[in-house]
Amino acid sequence: MKAELNAPVGIIGGTGLTTLSGLEIVGEHPSSTIWGEPSAPLVEGRLGRQSVIFLSRHGNPHRIPPHQVNYRANIQALHDAGVRTVIGVNAVGGIREDMGPARVVIPDQLIDYTWGRPSTFFEGDLDAVTHIDFTWPYDHEGRQALIHAAGGAGVPCSDSAVYGATQGPRLETAAEIRRLERDGCDIVGMTGMPEAVLAAELGMRYVCLGLVVNWAAGKSDHIITMAEIEEAIEQGMSGVKRILTDSMAELGRLSPLPQPS
């Protein structure tokens, strides 16, 4: 069963994503949830017949550090707006030897190293305890839509990787990256959790579209600089935008998942 083509697809990432080719911005809507206000107003747009809703994870301007993002409000606001499929666009560091700067990555697993972040909707005065299955943190059909779009657009990408989510806002030490590597992590970032699990708790399809913006600590012979990160973003963001543009119609047609109960 397929949903209507105009079912909105949510994109969480930076403000630059609203410059997708062919995107028509329809409006900007402040929102509020029982968990507080999201990082920024929801920006509504259309790509052809497909409705898209953008949310700037770190605010506009970029001012909210990863450990202080109100992830619950962000996911709840998108859900309240009718979004049932979410693409989280993430800047990450490369650990695996083929995960160099400007590489596009569509991970299939993650390990959570964050702490102290509100990470569930299921707390407080509950009628019953709820445990969701999180075996596969990223939606399979959503991942396939991104992978197919990357192939069709000729954008090289890695379609299997383990995302290690760290606390931030500081970057990791070389010893910490060696630990993550021993644990099986291929990339490292600060915003992948609890975003993914919160979406799962609301029955939303969630996929990560990662862009490697630097080698992780100890994986190169120099310290990590903002100039290096900005160069990788400039080189790789065009591929990310092509994947987003070309996957929208397929993502919009995916049927909604049942909400856990």
Side-chain angles (χ1 to χ4, degrees):
M1 177 180 178
K2 297 293 185 180
E4 294 297 324
L5 188 61
N6 61 359
V9 174
I11 300 176
I12 305 176
T15 56
L17 295 175
T18 57
T19 61
L20 298 180
S21 176
L23 176 68
E24 174 192 1
I25 298 297
V26 176
E28 184 174 297
H29 311 288
S31 62
S32 182
T33 77
I34 62 172
W35 309 103
E37 295 185 358
S39 298
L42 303 182
V43 177
E44 183 181 357
R46 297 194 70 83
L47 270 169
R49 295 170 55 206
Q50 181 57 51
S51 176
V52 184
I53 296 179
F54 296 88
L55 176 57
S56 181
R57 183 185 287 115
H58 297 283
N60 185 15
H62 186 116
R63 60 181 178 81
I64 306 172
H67 67 298
Q68 291 186 324
V69 171
N70 190 339
Y71 294 96
R72 288 194 293 194
N74 285 354
I75 294 298
Q76 187 71 62
L78 290 172
H79 188 272
D80 292 348
V83 169
R84 295 298 180 269
T85 298
V86 180
I87 305 173
V89 179
N90 299 87
V92 298
I95 299 176
R96 205 169 76 197
E97 63 181 8
D98 60 337
M99 299 289 180
R103 182 72 174 177
V104 174
V105 186
I106 304 170
D108 56 343
Q109 274 295 336
L110 65 80
I111 301 177
D112 185 13
Y113 301 91
T114 65
W115 50 269
R117 303 181 182 190
S119 58
T120 182
F121 293 115
F122 300 127
E123 63 181 15
D125 187 16
L126 301 175
D127 294 330
V129 176
T130 301
H131 302 284
I132 65 162
D133 186 332
F134 202 51
T135 304
W136 305 105
Y138 302 115
D139 180 69
H140 174 73
E141 291 181 295
R143 291 185 65 255
Q144 291 305 308
L146 297 185
I147 293 167
H148 293 160
V155 179
C157 79
S158 298
D159 61 8
S160 178
V162 178
Y163 180 124
T166 58
Q167 180 69 0
R170 68 168 177 84
L171 296 172
E172 300 74 31
T173 68
E176 288 170 332
I177 293 299
R178 290 195 296 270
R179 174 200 173 193
L180 265 64
E181 188 170 22
R182 289 193 299 270
D183 286 350
C185 297
D186 303 302
I187 54 177
V188 58
M190 302 174 189
T191 55
M193 283 290 284
E195 200 169 89
V197 71
L198 292 170
E201 287 188 347
L202 292 184
M204 303 168 78
R205 298 178 183 271
Y206 182 92
V207 290
C208 172
L209 181 56
L211 176 63
V212 180
V213 298
N214 58 271
W215 285 111
K219 290 296 177 178
S220 66
D221 58 3
H222 60 274
I223 63 171
I224 300 167
T225 66
M226 282 307 301
E228 171 189 5
I229 291 173
E230 290 167 0
E231 181 180 356
I233 292 174
E234 184 175 351
Q235 291 177 0
M237 191 53 69
S238 61
V240 168
K241 290 180 178 179
R242 288 199 300 274
I243 293 171
L244 290 173
T245 299
D246 293 354
S247 65
M248 279 302 106
E250 185 175 352
L251 289 167
R253 287 192 294 265
L254 295 177
S255 58
L257 299 173
Q259 184 167 334
S261 60

